[in-house]
Structure formats: structure tokens, C-alpha cells
Amino acid sequence: MRRPYIAGNWKMNLDRASAIALATEVASQTTGIEGVDVALCPPSVYLDAVGSAISGSQVVMGAQNMYHQPEGAFTGELSAAMLLDVGCRCVILGHSERRHEIGESNEDVNKKVLAALAAGLEPIVCVGELLAEREAGTTGEVIRNQFDGSLAGVTAEQMSQITLAYEPVWAIGTGKVASPEQAEEVHLDLRKLMEDRYNSEVAQAVRIQYGGSVKPSNAAELLAKPNIDGCLIGGASLKADLFVPVIRAAAE
Ligand code: PGA
């Protein structure tokens, strides 16, 4: 059985005081909820403060991005070691906003994945198709290309440190959630891909989150699907009274 994993991606939202308040609320409201992993991914300037706010709780912290180089003259960038140093356990890599807004390629994502793994930071690697790609019937191919490109050179042993997130781009922040069936189809494809590229042990162990307009009203039916092991949540992670019910649904 894969342990459900709910991660909140705060993106470029909140200020310092509200980040601390939200992290404190999530930490206290999840006390006693068992059988689920929970991560918060605040803007990097608030990592230190959020780390203090969740300290002693079951909530772990992740970053939204990193750079692949270990140190040096890379203005504006953060290394895996720096993220670990401020208490991060994980890092979101290859989010569609970074792929499509910032222009990150599979190769960029791949370098980051390898650097995170080498440093001991657990990557949450995102894949997902655009609406036009879904409509053109190329979802499977897009996912396969992103998987192979983003995970090139990752060993079977390293793969078990990774969480995958399927985030159809047309469902992110749009209120248009993928149906549980649409999501499950891609999750199953990802599972088969891991079986093919690695082995069945890896395929069965790696958790695959769904992301895209997840909220309390649709989480339970998504999480009921056999290959949906958690959620990566944007908008609904910005309010404890929307985020915590999804955590509860995953724990049930
Ligand atoms: P959303 O974002 O929940 O606001 O759709 C999900 C994500 O981008 O991770």
C-alpha cells in the first residue's frame, strides 16, 4: 500500500505573516491525522519562517524550484544544499508553470532532478499535457516524453525517492478538474511506464499525485482511484479550511 501524500504548492502567494499563520494552522489542524504524508511548499523567502512554524509537527516542507548547480555565480538561484539547510525535505520540479511560463525544458528539469537526488532532496516531478495536446490525442506521448526526458539517468534506486505528479495544464487553477477516470488513465500509464523503464517494484512503490483544481468537494473521488496516491494542490492549499479536509480525505 502506498501511503497517501498531499502537498500544498503556495506558488507566488501570501506574505510573511500570512504564510506563518497558514503553516501554523495546517500543523495544528493535522495533529492526530494518521496515515498520510503532508508537505507545504511556500515561496522560498518564507521557507525559514514556515520551517519554524511547522517544527515538531508531522508536516514537512518543500521548495517550489531549485537550480542544479551546487554553488557559485548563479545570481538569483538556490541550490539543493541551501534548501536542505533551511529544512526542506522535498522540491517540486518541472511544474507546468515553470515549463510553460519560464520555459524550462525536460533537460533543465532532468539536471535539477539529478542534483536534488544527489543532495538527498526528494523531488516531486510534474508532468502534464496542454489542452491542445489532449484534444489532439497526444496526451500519452507528451507524458512519456516528459517522463523520459525529466528522469533520464535516474536509477531504479533513486526513482524510489521520487514522487510523480500528474497535472494536466488545462486543469491547473482553472476550476476544471480532470475527471477521476481521466486522471486514473494517465496515472495507470505512468505506472506502466515505470514498470517498463524500471521494474514492478519501482512501479508499485512510487507515489503519483494528481494536481489541477483539487478541492474538498472532488478530492475523495480522485483519491479513491487505485493509482491516485495523493494530490498536489495550488489554490486550495492557501486556506487551511480547504487544504486540511483534503488531507483528511486522503487519510480515510
Ligand atoms: P491548482 O494548482 O490546485 O490551483 O489547480 C495545482 C498546481 O499547480 O500544483
Side-chain angles (χ1 to χ4, degrees):
M1 259 300 274
R2 292 176 294 272
R3 188 177 159 92
Y5 185 6
I6 306 294
N9 173 10
W10 292 356
K11 308 191 180 181
M12 200 173 73
N13 292 298
L14 305 175
D15 57 21
R16 184 180 163 85
S18 50
I20 293 170
L22 177 56
T24 305
E25 272 183 272
V26 171
S28 79
Q29 290 180 27
T30 51
T31 304
I33 303 181
E34 284 173 14
V36 56
D37 289 336
V38 180
L40 294 179
C41 303
S44 49
V45 286
Y46 304 137
L47 284 169
D48 229 353
V50 166
S52 301
I54 61 172
S55 137
S57 78
Q58 63 161 322
V59 178
V60 303
M61 190 167 66
Q64 299 174 15
N65 179 40
M66 55 167 265
Y67 196 54
H68 67 276
Q69 293 285 0
E71 63 180 355
F74 305 102
T75 302
E77 298 294 339
L78 298 172
S79 71
M82 289 170 176
L83 299 179
L84 284 162
D85 195 25
V86 292
C88 287
R89 168 87 64 86
C90 54
V91 59
I92 300 171
L93 295 174
H95 190 279
S96 68
E97 284 147 21
R98 297 209 58 88
R99 290 180 186 272
H100 300 294
E101 295 281 332
I102 317 283
E104 273 184 22
S105 65
N106 281 328
E107 291 69 30
D108 296 327
V109 178
N110 183 230
K111 284 188 215 159
K112 295 179 182 201
V113 169
L114 295 172
L117 288 167
L121 201 54
E122 298 167 8
I124 297 176
V125 179
C126 305
V127 297
E129 82 286 4
L130 298 165
L131 182 59
E133 292 166 337
R134 174 159 284 268
E135 285 173 350
T138 58
T139 298
E141 193 184 319
V142 169
I143 301 296
R144 239 181 349 264
N145 283 338
Q146 290 179 340
F147 180 97
D148 285 335
S150 306
L151 300 174
V154 171
T155 66
E157 199 183 325
Q158 289 175 317
M159 193 63 209
S160 61
Q161 301 300 306
I162 290 180
T163 297
L164 295 176
Y166 168 54
E167 299 207 310
V169 180
W170 47 272
I172 295 178
T174 57
K176 254 197 259 165
V177 63
S179 70
E181 292 69 32
Q182 284 174 319
E184 172 66 11
E185 190 183 1
V186 176
H187 283 232
L188 184 60
D189 280 351
L190 282 167
R191 191 104 36 224
K192 288 184 187 152
L193 205 51
M194 287 191 277
E195 172 129 29
D196 181 67
R197 305 297 197 261
Y198 294 97
N199 54 54
S200 57
E201 204 180 315
V202 167
Q204 287 311 313
V206 170
R207 293 180 289 189
I208 311 174
Q209 297 173 327
Y210 166 80
S213 299
V214 174
K215 44 187 185 281
S217 59
N218 58 31
E221 55 174 0
L222 287 159
L223 289 162
K225 290 291 177 192
N227 288 292
I228 301 182
D229 310 312
C231 305
L232 180 54
I233 306 178
S237 73
L238 295 170
K239 291 205 162 73
D241 60 356
L242 295 178
F243 189 54
V244 176
V246 177
I247 297 167
R248 267 202 209 95
E252 272 160 15

